[in-house]
Amino acid sequence: MIEMRKHIHNSLAIRLCLSILVIVVLVFSLSLGFLYWQSRYIIREEAIDEASHVLDNTALRVKGQMVEIETATRNILWLVNLHHHDKDSLLKYTHRIVANHPHTNGCSITMEPDFFPGDEYGFSAYSVRLENLSSSEKDSVKTVREAEYDYYSKVWYKTPRQKRTACWVDPFDDYNAGTLSSPEMIASYCIPLNDEQGKFIGVLSTDLSLRKLTETITAEHPYQHSYFMMLGADGHYFVHPDTTKLLKQTIFTNTDPREHTDIVTLGYEMINGRTGHMEVNIDGKSHIVLYRPLEGTQWSVALVCPSNELLRGYNRLTYILLPLLVIGLLLLVMGCRRIVHHFIQPLGLLASELRQIGHGDYEKPLPISHRTDLIGQLQNSFCQMRRSISQHIRDIEQKKQETEQRTIELEQATQLARQASEQKTQFMQDMSHQIRTPLNIVHGFSQVLRDDSVMMSNEEKQQIVESMYVQTNALDYMVSKLLTASLIESHQSISTNDIVNCNELAREAFDSTSSLINHTAEMRLDSRISDELTVKTNSHHLLIALTELLFNALHFTSEGSVTMRIEATDDDVLFTIEDTGPGIPADKAAFIFDKFTKIDMFTEGLGLGLFLCQRVVQLMGGKLILDSQYTRGSRFILFLPLRSTLG
């Protein structure tokens, strides 16, 4: 470890490489971390929005059943109020409601005691649906006068009598052994009955089976372990996967407010009729709960989704980004090492020459550098300095040889030699000091060489220019596609008043596509219509759709051909684009027209092409489909209606 640190300390190249890597990795990590966090937020919001749509659809289905029962009850109410109240009529009315409305479980018309003379315990006409287990037979409806029992204390009778207005009452168990009653828990829509003077005389009540309500609510599951629940006005469970909690427990049962403040908050949000979503810890696992009230009731329905399933797309993104991050860092280390070694190599050569000069070797020539940067200038200046030193040493030697022949001049020559030696030592010290200073400056400036375009050779610049030119058309095409997608998304319709010649537009699409992509596949145009056939549509957007379909076909077809066939029926013009590429897997065909969807996440593109094509074609009144029967590649068929071009 000590040797390694010493080696790193003595190696300028390693120190430069490490310094650059620290800065680049820091910036790279911060940028990627921000994008990673932002992606998580976007995916979470999209997943919550999708779950909210499921919850809204569920609430609409439940409300549809409830509205059907409310409407059926109100439709029979005018008959009850219009005609004289007699027992047979009341029995027929309850039978009519249950028989004509399959979602009703039962119906009763219950009168006040002594309303009918001699009925001091009251009168209740009751019809109930008896379900047949055989699917080939219809349910039967049985209608009876209910036996005498204390129905005045029942919630379905007492609540509308007190409120004097129509209302839904919470689900209850109305089963009475030995009587005709529903064995299921039911919720009832109750309307108070009044005579002509406004006096309360009874209750009209229609029942909805809690089992059917539960089946309606739980019909759709957006995630594998998600589930629905429904609470009443006081927090009792009406719908829940754990049937032991139904009507017996509330959301607050066995819940410590200090440890489960999130569940308590959720309960109060739901019983107060609010709409929203929140994160809740259930059985030690994080869940996202979306909730909303049922209009016209004091009930609230909620969709409970495990957080890990809601963020499954984010987790998949993690598995993709981590390998890319590791590979990117490895490539960065290799590239940084090569670049730093390339620029530091001349400094190593200079250091070697200095060591030779220190040992007295002044004659070995140093190669001239053709680089025009600071290091090249330093190397050439050092070459000039070394030649000057060599020449100076030769002059001294020549003078020494001359003084050897004269005795008097011998001491002078010796003194001169001594002085020359001292001067040489001082010169070496001065020279070392003078070289150390620019070396430190080079050390500082080399950190910015990676961003200085002057450092690049003409060949490197030419390669960059050629690469930029190749990407310019693709970038312009993608920006154009994004702008078109943005405009299409903000419009519900587009103009279709252009008179378009089908064959001419197809040829234009062929020319446009060829300029966007280099391809090796053969392009064929098979027109089975006359050159005079025109259609009334939007020429610009039709050209975009055909170009995009051809572009995709060429992009994925390295061998074989891409064919556009044009046909006409009595009602439509058909543009068929087929290729001999790899095709689209059957499990991916269902969502290739979704926004931002790609078959292979590693291929180029935005995932907007097919979505944009289908959207444009729909706005023009046509349709775009994938022919799943075609197995030699991919085949897309664009149907465009034949509108009259007269007038």
Side-chain angles (χ1 to χ4, degrees), residues 455-474:
M455 304 289 294
M456 300 179 183
S457 66
N458 291 333
E459 182 180 354
E460 292 173 328
K461 291 181 180 179
Q462 183 62 29
Q463 292 176 353
I464 293 173
V465 170
E466 292 177 357
S467 177
M468 290 173 61
Y469 178 77
V470 170
Q471 297 299 323
T472 299
N473 282 340

Side-chain angles (χ1 to χ4, degrees), residues 535 567-574 621 639-644:
V535 64
E567 302 171 287
T569 64
D570 294 338
D571 301 318
D572 301 287
V573 176
L574 280 66
F639 296 84
L640 199 63
L642 270 172
R643 298 186 183 93
S644 175

Side-chain angles (χ1 to χ4, degrees), residues 300-502:
S300 183
V301 64
L303 173 60
V304 183
C305 303
S307 297
N308 59 340
E309 293 187 14
L310 199 68
L311 297 177
R312 186 174 298 166
Y314 171 75
N315 296 331
R316 287 198 299 266
L317 181 64
T318 304
Y319 300 143
I320 294 174
L321 286 181
L322 287 180
L324 290 179
L325 176 62
V326 173
I327 294 173
L329 289 177
L330 291 176
L331 292 176
L332 185 63
V333 170
M334 295 173 59
C336 183
R337 182 178 179 277
R338 291 179 62 88
I339 293 174
V340 171
H341 180 267
H342 172 72
F343 287 109
I344 295 300
Q345 185 179 9
L347 295 180
L349 183 61
L350 292 178
S352 176
E353 292 298 324
L354 282 175
R355 287 193 296 270
Q356 291 180 3
I357 291 175
H359 289 89
D361 184 4
Y362 302 98
E363 300 298 331
K364 184 178 179 180
L366 188 67
I368 300 297
S369 175
H370 298 287
R371 293 171 55 169
T372 59
D373 55 17
L374 186 61
I375 293 180
Q377 296 174 13
L378 176 64
Q379 181 175 344
N380 292 334
S381 298
F382 188 83
C383 291
Q384 182 63 36
M385 178 189 66
R386 183 165 186 173
R387 286 195 297 269
S388 298
I389 293 175
S390 297
Q391 183 63 41
H392 183 65
I393 295 299
R394 287 194 294 271
D395 292 344
I396 292 175
E397 292 295 332
Q398 183 179 0
K399 289 181 181 180
K400 182 180 179 181
Q401 293 175 2
E402 291 177 354
T403 58
E404 286 180 352
Q405 302 190 13
R406 292 185 292 272
T407 304
I408 297 175
E409 297 175 351
L410 181 59
E411 289 184 26
Q412 297 178 355
T414 304
Q415 185 67 23
L416 289 174
R418 186 181 300 112
Q419 291 177 356
S421 178
E422 292 176 355
Q423 289 175 358
K424 181 181 72 173
T425 302
Q426 183 65 36
F427 177 81
M428 292 301 302
Q429 293 175 354
D430 292 340
M431 181 183 65
S432 297
H433 175 74
Q434 293 297 326
I435 287 181
R436 187 180 299 111
T437 299
L439 281 176
N440 290 333
I441 296 175
V442 170
H443 180 201
F445 277 100
S446 62
Q447 298 182 25
V448 299
L449 289 178
R450 65 184 184 278
D451 299 323
D452 192 350
S453 62
V454 178
M455 304 289 294
M456 300 179 183
S457 66
N458 291 333
E459 182 180 354
E460 292 173 328
K461 291 181 180 179
Q462 183 62 29
Q463 292 176 353
I464 293 173
V465 170
E466 292 177 357
S467 177
M468 290 173 61
Y469 178 77
V470 170
Q471 297 299 323
T472 299
N473 282 340
L475 179 61
D476 179 69
Y477 180 67
M478 285 190 288
V479 171
S480 176
K481 187 168 21 175
L482 285 171
L483 292 175
T484 303
S486 175
L487 292 174
I488 289 298
E489 281 284 270
S490 62
H491 290 77
Q492 297 301 319
S493 63
I494 59 177
S495 172
T496 56
N497 296 323
D498 299 337
I499 306 302
V500 178
N501 185 291
C502 298

